Amino acid sequence: MPSLIPLDNILGALLIGVITSTLIYGITCLQVYLYYTQHCTQDNKFQRIYVAIVWIIDSCHTAFLSVAYYHYTVTNFGDYNVLAATTWSLLWQVILGALCSGMVQAFFAWRVYSLSGRKIIVPALVCLLCLAQLSLGIGYLVEATKVKFFSQAAPDIPYTTSSLSVDIACDTIITVHMIYYLLKNRTPFYRTNKAITLLINYSLNTCLLTTVCTLICFVLVVKQADTLVYAPFYFILVRLYSCSLMSTLNSRDGVRQVLLGDRHELVTMPSTTVGSIGVSEIGSKWPTLQGQTQTQMTLKGQTLDIGHMGGGSLDV
């Protein structure tokens, strides 16, 4: 006997989203473990706490999705009226998703701040967009609590589409300016340029993944707002932000290895570092060509800073 209501675009979409996003969450947990056991020894306390907060929010988001799925498939199994209605955990996960993505974007805004020589305009704009995205998420929650069924979700569409549009704009601004400042600080040295190219690839890949996922989510919200077909892509989007933060932080040692590849090109390693927020001292010393040690390298009046910028930065 066929279902009273179609299950594929509600329960099926929710199942796919929960499974896929939980898989990415597992990868993030591994990255968090590697960060605290191998890659955070030179980070300041604030940065470690910042990473922990992002992971906790991401974990709560995963838990809320699990609660929602349990609500539909176990607690109210076979109740088609409940299946067609929203539930609190499915609504509140939007706020957690906005918090998680906003904190990660704020981290990358700080990277832009360091790369630009501490120019405040672009990072401030990014932070304002993050706050706007969170405000739109709260507006969505307020409107969504006024309706009971997915089929009545039309009033929520402006909040959802606006939030996704702000998300795309924020990612684009971060990536464009990060690449611009990295290219601006190229040097005649092969290893340095190789490290810069590696950082550019990190930025492009992160932006491409989140942008594609956001665009798909945007289209599906507009076309099928009365279903959960868009849900898997939104759940994955939230996971991509937290996973990109951790992979960026853990990739710093790889960038340092690229810089260490040829001592005849690089004299020293920079000592300043910025993680998510704050400045700390690496304290690592590199051998020079004369067998001495220094803690800073200056090329054409520029100071190279790979430090804790989640992959690297260039302070001018």
Side-chain angles (χ1 to χ4, degrees):
M1 178 182 295
S3 304
L4 297 179
I5 60 174
L7 298 179
D8 293 330
N9 57 7
I10 296 180
L11 193 59
L14 183 61
L15 173 63
I16 294 172
V18 170
I19 292 176
T20 308
S21 63
T22 303
L23 176 63
I24 302 175
Y25 172 72
I27 298 174
T28 302
C29 288
L30 175 61
Q31 295 277 11
V32 171
Y33 172 78
L34 293 175
Y35 171 76
Y36 282 109
T37 57
Q38 301 178 19
H39 303 288
C40 74
T41 55
Q42 296 171 344
D43 294 345
N44 56 52
K45 184 177 180 180
F46 186 88
Q47 178 167 320
R48 299 181 190 181
I49 295 175
Y50 195 86
V51 170
I53 293 174
V54 172
W55 178 76
I56 290 172
I57 294 174
D58 196 35
S59 300
C60 291
H61 187 268
T62 303
F64 274 37
L65 297 184
S66 300
V67 169
Y69 193 74
Y70 191 91
H71 169 80
Y72 289 121
T73 60
V74 179
T75 305
N76 297 284
F77 176 77
D79 190 334
Y80 288 96
N81 291 325
V82 172
L83 187 60
T86 59
T87 181
W88 69 269
S89 57
L90 202 58
L91 298 179
W92 277 92
Q93 60 85 23
V94 174
I95 302 300
L96 293 176
L99 279 173
C100 185
S101 60
M103 289 189 68
V104 174
Q105 287 168 336
F107 165 82
F108 287 111
W110 184 262
R111 291 188 67 186
V112 174
Y113 174 74
S114 281
L115 285 166
S116 64
R118 289 167 172 71
K119 296 178 181 177
I120 194 64
I121 296 178
V122 173
L125 175 60
V126 171
C127 291
L128 287 175
L129 290 175
C130 292
L131 291 175
Q133 187 176 352
L134 179 60
S135 300
L136 289 168
I138 295 174
Y140 166 87
L141 178 63
V142 172
E143 287 296 325
T145 53
K146 297 178 182 179
V147 300
K148 182 178 180 181
F149 299 101
F150 294 116
S151 58
Q152 302 170 334
D156 304 335
I157 295 179
Y159 292 96
T160 306
T161 54
S162 298
S163 178
L164 293 173
S165 299
V166 170
D167 195 19
I168 294 174
C170 194
D171 287 344
T172 302
I173 291 173
I174 290 172
T175 304
V176 168
H177 285 84
M178 195 174 297
I179 293 175
Y180 168 76
Y181 288 118
L182 285 170
L183 290 174
K184 184 179 178 181
N185 285 277
R186 282 187 174 275
T187 72
F189 300 104
Y190 169 75
R191 291 286 179 179
T192 306
N193 289 337
K194 186 177 179 180
I196 291 175
T197 300
L198 186 60
L199 297 176
I200 291 174
N201 289 336
Y202 286 159
S203 301
L204 283 175
N205 290 337
T206 300
C207 180
L208 182 62
L209 283 173
T210 56
T211 301
V212 169
C213 201
T214 307
L215 285 174
I216 295 175
C217 189
F218 183 95
V219 172
L220 292 177
V221 166
V222 174
K223 295 294 184 181
Q224 301 187 48
D226 57 343
T227 70
L228 292 178
V229 173
Y230 68 90
F233 297 97
Y234 180 74
F235 300 161
I236 292 172
L237 178 64
V238 176
R239 297 293 169 275
L240 287 177
Y241 278 112
S242 55
C243 191
S244 66
L245 170 64
M246 298 314 307
S247 61
T248 299
L249 288 172
N250 292 341
S251 67
R252 295 172 296 178
D253 289 341
V255 178
R256 292 192 192 100
Q257 290 302 317
V258 172
L259 289 170
L260 275 167
D262 193 340
R263 296 176 181 175
H264 295 284
E265 291 183 1
L266 292 178
V267 178
T268 56
M269 182 67 182
S271 57
T272 55
T273 153
V274 188
S276 49
I277 295 179
V279 180
S280 63
E281 187 76 11
I282 292 182
S284 60
K285 299 183 181 243
W286 290 45
T288 65
L289 296 180
Q290 291 79 20
Q292 301 174 346
T293 58
Q294 300 177 7
T295 56
Q296 193 175 51
M297 178 187 71
T298 302
L299 298 174
K300 295 183 177 180
Q302 301 168 346
T303 301
L304 181 63
D305 171 16
I306 293 300
H308 296 359
M309 283 297 301
S313 68
L314 293 171
D315 285 349
V316 180

